[in-house]
Amino acid sequence: MASRPIWRTLTAISSRNPLTGQTYRCFSCSLRQAQEQAKQNDRTTHFGFETVPESAKESKVGAVFSSVSSSYDTMNDLMSLGIHRLWKDKFVRSLNPGSDPSLYTSQPSQGWNILDIAGGTGDIAFRMLDHATTINNDHQTRVTVADINPDMLAEGRKRSLETQYANSGRLSFMEANAEKLPTIESNSTDLYTVAFGIRNFTSKQAALHEAFRVLRPGGVFACLEFSKVNNSLFDAVYKRWSFGAIPLIGQLVAGDRGSYQYLVESIERFPTQAEFRGMIEEAGFMIPGKGWEDLTGGIAAIHKGVKPLDKRR
């Protein structure tokens, strides 16, 4: 019963009168504290179409990505009709990571400090480093790949061994929750990227505020995510494919219908392009232009925000 733990809290908490030194019980304070704790414990969020306690979502999402980590490319092929690689290439080109050293005559460029969130398998990180190196002749830019899931990070580390960046000092991996990044200093990051990850966060808004904190003034937040198709006929076809075929193929290819069912439901639950733009703006970012670019009719979208130059929190 709800009243019993609250009453125990009331009888357990006491204060000391600073004048007499005697203890007394602050029943109203205790009641408010206990009610607030109960309210926090009752907070819910969505896991696909399922409503779950906030405290349970992280482990549920973790189980999904542990299950699909070894077949991550196959999963994205199914979710994007095979064109996620083109979207990722466009995403990176639009950010143009790296600094051409020929443009810095007074002092050498230090390169960019990039934080790739939910980037466990390294897909975006490798592209960022390739672009900086080959397009901008920048051998200083570095990427930290952060992911909450150790299985995804293990897959990324394994894949990195097939690149020139494995032991270069320009690529690192860390296990971290995007909603709280205590090991990342404020105003320390030039570019924060998250691709096909933020829809799985328990609190997207908390992650956006944390992105704002770690970015330097003038730094860029960039997100590539599945979004809302902007043509009703195309939307109907895509949804039929998503809900009808993808879970079935997940069962046949990976033996895991449930994870793929969650993934298509998570896309449906993600905010619209305009709603997500509002969330980015609410975190403090300036929004360039419209704020997003639709890809393939809105199956996915690129969102960007810039931390104002006068903000250092």
Side-chain angles (χ1 to χ4, degrees):
M1 296 174 60
S3 60
R4 190 167 296 171
I6 292 176
W7 177 252
R8 285 178 183 156
T9 303
L10 291 176
T11 57
I13 298 177
S14 64
S15 303
R16 184 173 296 276
N17 188 313
L19 298 178
T20 66
Q22 295 178 331
T23 60
Y24 63 92
R25 304 193 185 281
C26 177
F27 290 108
S28 61
C29 297
S30 303
L31 180 59
R32 285 196 301 270
Q33 189 177 60
Q35 288 174 334
E36 180 62 28
Q37 184 63 47
K39 186 185 299 183
Q40 290 178 359
N41 292 340
D42 289 341
R43 286 178 181 167
T44 60
T45 187
H46 58 81
F47 175 75
F49 290 162
E50 182 184 355
T51 299
V52 298
E54 281 190 352
S55 58
K57 181 170 180 176
E58 184 177 312
S59 62
K60 282 179 163 290
V61 171
V64 168
F65 282 91
S66 291
S67 174
V68 303
S69 59
S70 61
S71 58
Y72 186 71
D73 284 340
T74 301
M75 178 195 76
N76 278 329
D77 283 334
L78 294 174
M79 304 293 289
S80 68
L81 305 177
I83 56 177
H84 66 99
R85 293 175 177 84
L86 298 178
W87 293 342
K88 290 172 181 174
D89 289 343
K90 180 176 179 60
F91 180 58
V92 171
R93 285 197 307 271
S94 76
L95 297 168
N96 192 26
S99 302
D100 186 340
S102 67
L103 302 178
Y104 293 79
T105 55
S106 58
Q107 59 182 13
S109 168
Q110 299 300 308
W112 290 19
N113 184 24
I114 301 173
L115 179 61
D116 183 34
I117 291 288
T121 61
D123 264 8
I124 297 298
F126 303 151
R127 284 173 167 83
M128 290 283 184
L129 291 170
D130 284 344
H131 185 102
T133 304
T134 61
I135 303 300
N136 288 321
N137 196 28
D138 176 352
H139 297 266
Q140 303 300 318
T141 284
R142 57 218 167 272
V143 181
T144 299
V145 178
D147 201 295
I148 199 171
N149 189 290
D151 294 312
M152 295 289 281
L153 288 169
E155 187 68 21
R157 289 190 180 98
K158 183 175 71 174
R159 294 183 185 191
S160 74
L161 298 177
E162 301 173 4
T163 75
Q164 60 180 307
Y165 311 114
N167 299 302
S168 67
R170 299 176 63 195
L171 177 67
S172 60
F173 294 83
M174 64 178 290
E175 187 174 337
N177 185 331
E179 296 166 30
K180 193 171 182 61
L181 299 165
T183 61
I184 306 293
E185 293 183 6
S186 299
N187 307 301
S188 64
T189 301
D190 297 298
L191 173 63
Y192 176 116
T193 58
V194 55
F196 302 121
I198 201 167
R199 74 180 188 279
N200 301 300
F201 295 174
T202 302
S203 175
K204 300 167 187 62
Q205 197 65 58
L208 290 169
H209 281 287
E210 192 70 340
F212 188 90
R213 180 187 68 81
V214 303
L215 279 165
R216 291 191 177 107
V220 173
F221 166 84
C223 175
L224 170 62
E225 188 53 90
F226 288 107
S227 199
K228 305 301 182 186
V229 174
N230 49 38
N231 176 280
S232 58
L233 181 59
F234 185 29
D235 185 42
V237 172
Y238 181 66
K239 282 183 178 177
R240 175 164 292 191
W241 162 259
S242 297
F243 287 94
I246 290 177
L248 177 59
I249 296 173
Q251 174 67 43
L252 297 174
V253 173
D256 185 0
R257 184 186 186 98
S259 292
Y260 286 80
Q261 182 70 38
Y262 158 73
L263 290 166
V264 296
E265 290 177 2
S266 70
I267 294 171
E268 186 68 15
R269 292 299 300 263
F270 192 68
T272 66
Q273 288 90 322
E275 289 168 343
F276 190 53
R277 171 202 158 117
M279 293 173 68
I280 296 169
E281 200 166 20
E282 182 182 331
F285 290 102
M286 296 189 305
I287 306 297
K290 184 173 70 171
W292 75 86
E293 179 183 359
D294 285 334
L295 304 176
T296 317
I299 292 180
I302 296 171
H303 287 264
K304 293 178 184 175
V306 180
K307 184 170 180 176
L309 290 173
D310 61 345
K311 298 290 186 181
R312 298 194 64 82
R313 73 167 177 82

